[in-house]
């Protein structure tokens, strides 16, 4: 029986290793793909599905590096907002229309 994502993340927090990190990424890819699928992509060559997925994986890695198991928050919940935020940040960065401040 394979370990749950939360179990892998807890183990990673206790003793980080590249193998655990890769296992967490592999188990989290469906979450990243789900988030990318819910975001409206603009008609921009730099906003391909693969580009957004890559931005999502970067958000996943940031979430993994900043996750604190002591805060009583599930990793999926914590990672969801970081992944989505990273994708939106990427879309804002490539946006050709300046943002009004």
């Amino acid at each position: 029986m394979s370990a749950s994502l939360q179990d892998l993340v807890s183990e990673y927090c206790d003793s980080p290793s590249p193998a655990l990190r890769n296992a967490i990424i592999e188990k989290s890819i469906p979450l990243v793909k789900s988030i990318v699928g819910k975001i409206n992509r603009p008609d921009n060559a730099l906003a391909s599905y693969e580009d957004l997925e890559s931005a999502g994986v970067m958000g996943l890695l940031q979430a993994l590096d900043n996750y604190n198991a002591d805060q009583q928050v599930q990793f999926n919940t914590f990672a969801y907002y970081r992944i989505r935020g990273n994708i939106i940040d990427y879309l804002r960065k490539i946006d050709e229309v300046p943002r009004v401040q």
Side-chain angles (χ1 to χ4, degrees), residues 5 8 19-33 57 60-61 64:
L5 177 60
L8 289 172
L20 274 175
R21 188 177 182 94
N22 290 338
I24 292 167
I25 293 167
E26 189 175 310
K27 278 205 178 252
S28 299
I29 290 298
L31 175 64
V32 173
K33 288 183 177 187
V57 170
L60 171 66
L61 294 174
L64 185 57

Side-chain angles (χ1 to χ4, degrees), residues 4-58:
S4 72
L5 177 60
Q6 189 64 41
D7 292 339
L8 289 172
V9 171
S10 295
E11 189 177 335
Y12 181 81
C13 288
D14 292 338
S15 59
S17 75
L20 274 175
R21 188 177 182 94
N22 290 338
I24 292 167
I25 293 167
E26 189 175 310
K27 278 205 178 252
S28 299
I29 290 298
L31 175 64
V32 173
K33 288 183 177 187
S34 170
I35 295 168
V36 170
K38 293 176 185 174
I39 292 179
N40 291 328
R41 292 191 316 249
D43 189 22
N44 184 323
L46 295 174
S48 71
Y49 182 86
E50 291 79 17
D51 290 332
L52 298 184
E53 193 174 296
S54 178
V57 170
M58 294 304 295

Side-chain angles (χ1 to χ4, degrees), residues 85-99:
N86 213 55
I87 293 168
I88 291 170
D89 287 347
Y90 174 76
L91 289 172
R92 286 182 180 148
K93 188 173 89 176
I94 65 169
D95 191 6
E96 297 167 356
V97 179
R99 303 201 59 80

